[in-house]
Amino acid sequence: MTLWNGSYPFYPGANACFPFDTTQAVIVTIFLSMLVTFIIILPGIRGRGRLFWFLRMVLGLFMGTVVLTVQFTGDWETGWVQANTSYKSFSAVQVNADVGLHIGLAGVNVTLRGNPVNQINETINYNEHFGWNFGADYDRSYSEGLKKGLPSPILYVAEKFSTQSPCAVHRQYRIAGHYVSLTLWLAFCTWLISILLFSMSILLYGGHMLLLTASLIFFSLLFFSTARNTLKCPIQFGPVALRTDYGESFWLMLATGLLCLFLGLGIIILNSVQPEKLKVIFSLNKRSKEEVWDKTCLPAEPSCSAQGVLIVPLGELSQVKTTQL
């Protein structure tokens, strides 16, 4: 027997759960902080424009948060199955566990959770990530999993997405993930441009940019659906099979794309049919009335006044007498 039983005392064991992705938490925290800031300054807005302004801020922040966050999620496609399966390779010991598969844009997560969690004197609760994004080597991650001695169900599912697998789905999912990520970054840029145009009161072009954002979102969903509809190898655990379906990120992006589409079309239609109502929604009618000058009032007329100051005609200035001191 060696010190610490042959393991390092300050490092997690082989069955450590995959850590939480802090990128999503940072993005959500930033947007929530912006929302709280808008809520703080909300009482300073007068009239019914306060409600319209708050709705615009909430919808804008929601769309930007979703478009940016889903690039780092791992639930574009998910599936679960409960099965009795072998726990380790070359062993007849079987466990009852839930096996989950979560496919994202940057790789796959394979989950193994025991029913109950404590079985055969071990805690069965795994969530291993195998990445294929830029700078990641999927086959190397799979080889490291073999060296770590991961449970057999995790290695079995991960092997289906390796480059050496006869399923040949690695290339489709990896390329689709890259194209979806690029398209979503473009959608995030067009969303930023639309927010800038709305803040500059250029409403028509802001609506066009929302339509472009919706189009990019729909193209990203199409790219991912194309990879998913390719021929798959069955992931079989005895009499049951692990089947996947579209996950929460996919449906959330679809809802966001429809929201951008409806808002963009609504702004364009209102701008052409009833532009005054559109100005009311964006709180522009009151501002425009205050900034309009009375063009019928000429400076040369005696009765003309600007900002409460009487303007004397130029002809009367010559009649002013000066007194020598």
Side-chain angles (χ1 to χ4, degrees), residues 4-320:
W4 308 111
N5 293 325
S7 63
Y8 296 98
F10 303 110
Y11 289 84
N15 62 340
C17 190
F18 185 73
F20 177 73
D21 188 5
T22 57
T23 306
Q24 304 174 33
V26 171
I27 295 173
V28 174
T29 302
I30 292 174
F31 279 91
L32 286 179
S33 301
M34 297 173 62
L35 179 61
V36 171
T37 304
F38 292 145
I39 293 176
I40 291 175
I41 66 177
L42 185 62
I45 302 176
R46 300 177 181 178
R48 61 180 179 179
R50 177 187 305 173
L51 177 60
F52 291 129
W53 184 85
F54 181 72
L55 289 177
R56 295 199 307 269
M57 293 301 104
V58 171
L59 291 177
L61 289 177
F62 172 78
M63 291 183 292
T65 305
V66 172
V67 173
L68 189 59
T69 305
V70 294
Q71 301 202 47
F72 306 97
T73 57
D75 56 352
W76 279 74
E77 184 178 350
T78 60
W80 286 90
V81 66
Q82 183 177 0
N84 291 319
T85 178
S86 61
Y87 183 62
K88 294 290 185 179
S89 301
F90 309 105
S91 176
V93 178
Q94 290 193 344
V95 295
N96 186 275
D98 293 326
V99 184
L101 175 61
H102 313 276
I103 303 176
L105 303 182
V108 298
N109 277 26
V110 185
T111 304
L112 180 66
R113 188 179 306 152
N115 289 319
V117 177
N118 295 318
Q119 297 185 48
I120 59 174
N121 296 326
E122 289 191 24
T123 300
I124 304 176
N125 189 13
Y126 295 82
N127 188 5
E128 295 292 331
H129 178 75
F130 303 90
W132 54 48
N133 56 330
F134 292 109
D137 190 348
Y138 187 93
D139 291 338
R140 182 179 179 181
S141 299
Y142 177 73
S143 301
E144 291 178 355
L146 288 173
K147 295 177 181 179
K148 290 169 58 178
L150 293 178
S152 179
I154 294 181
L155 297 175
Y156 169 68
V157 176
E159 185 184 7
K160 298 290 184 179
F161 294 88
S162 64
T163 58
Q164 305 299 327
S165 174
C167 296
V169 295
H170 174 85
R171 185 172 181 271
Q172 287 84 349
Y173 274 101
R174 181 176 60 84
I175 295 178
H178 292 167
Y179 276 107
V180 171
S181 180
L182 176 61
T183 308
L184 290 181
W185 277 116
L186 292 176
F188 183 74
C189 293
T190 55
W191 169 80
L192 286 177
I193 296 175
S194 68
I195 296 297
L196 179 62
L197 291 175
F198 287 141
S199 64
M200 297 172 61
S201 303
I202 309 177
L203 306 182
L204 181 59
Y205 292 104
H208 287 312
M209 294 308 297
L210 279 182
L211 288 182
L212 181 57
T213 303
S215 301
L216 291 172
I217 291 175
F218 292 146
F219 273 116
S220 67
L221 298 178
L222 180 62
F223 291 149
F224 189 81
S225 299
T226 303
R228 185 182 179 275
N229 291 329
T230 57
L231 185 63
K232 295 188 178 74
C233 289
I235 304 177
Q236 201 76 24
F237 292 94
V240 295
L242 194 158
R243 304 183 185 278
T244 59
D245 202 352
Y246 292 117
E248 296 178 359
S249 295
F250 182 90
W251 297 116
L252 188 59
M253 280 308 305
L254 179 60
T256 305
L258 292 175
L259 179 62
C260 293
L261 177 63
F262 292 149
L263 290 178
L265 288 177
I267 290 173
I268 294 174
I269 294 175
L270 280 178
N271 185 77
S272 60
V273 177
Q274 293 181 338
E276 295 301 324
K277 288 188 176 181
L278 184 61
K279 292 180 180 180
V280 171
I281 295 176
F282 283 87
S283 304
L284 298 179
N285 57 339
K286 185 177 180 180
R287 185 189 308 173
S288 60
K289 289 181 181 179
E290 293 177 351
E291 294 178 354
V292 171
W293 288 77
D294 188 6
K295 296 182 180 180
T296 61
C297 181
L298 297 177
E301 297 179 359
S303 60
C304 179
S305 62
Q307 297 181 355
V309 179
L310 181 64
I311 298 178
V312 181
L314 296 176
E316 298 180 3
L317 293 177
S318 60
Q319 301 177 3
V320 178

